[in-house]
Amino acid sequence: QVQLVESGGGLVQAGGSLRLSCVADRSIFSSIYSSDAMGWYRQAPGKQREMVATMTNGGSTVYADSVKGRFTISRDNAGNSVYLQMNSLKPEDTAVYYCNARINGGLSSYWGQGTQVTVSS
């Protein structure tokens, strides 16, 4: 079991920035599995949850096309936190953002409770 706690959401005007943080109660990035990962997903009202950005234990990162060049995922040295720096925010970025941890070679997946990001035009 992995507990994830997100923070950093809020209300911002279009063009502004926010930084989301997610802390796990165990180290994810010190796993023996290079495919273990932490990442960010989002879900807007009436839409399916979608991947925003992920980072694997092996260091690979993946971004949704809609956020490339604007969002940056990073992690801490302790291996239990992941961050999402969001710049040049747009109203269409408005959603609940969820932190995800995938462990044991991808066999187990855990979610945080979500943090609301609202971008006003």
Side-chain angles (χ1 to χ4, degrees):
Q1 188 79 344
V2 177
Q3 301 293 328
L4 302 170
V5 178
E6 302 114 329
S7 62
L11 173 64
V12 65
Q13 288 187 331
S17 299
L18 283 175
R19 185 175 187 252
L20 305 183
S21 299
C22 174
V23 181
D25 64 350
R26 55 182 283 187
S27 178
I28 305 299
F29 294 114
S30 62
S31 161
I32 63 172
Y33 299 104
S34 61
S35 60
D36 284 6
M38 293 184 75
W40 293 94
Y41 291 71
R42 67 187 181 186
Q43 187 166 18
K47 295 186 177 181
Q48 290 188 329
R49 190 172 297 188
E50 63 176 359
M51 186 276 295
V52 176
T54 62
M55 176 179 283
T56 68
N57 187 22
S60 298
T61 57
V62 178
Y63 292 92
D65 287 343
S66 59
V67 307
K68 285 180 181 177
R70 301 188 298 122
F71 291 10
T72 303
I73 189 170
S74 61
R75 70 191 200 193
D76 72 331
N77 292 331
N80 67 337
S81 296
V82 67
Y83 309 97
L84 186 68
Q85 178 65 42
M86 305 185 294
N87 298 328
S88 302
L89 282 161
K90 304 175 181 180
E92 51 263 45
D93 295 318
T94 295
V96 178
Y97 284 69
Y98 296 91
C99 180
N100 173 264
R102 191 173 67 238
I103 65 172
N104 297 329
L107 294 179
S108 302
S109 181
Y110 299 93
W111 296 92
Q113 80 286 357
T115 185
Q116 176 71 45
V117 171
T118 302
V119 184
S120 63
S121 57

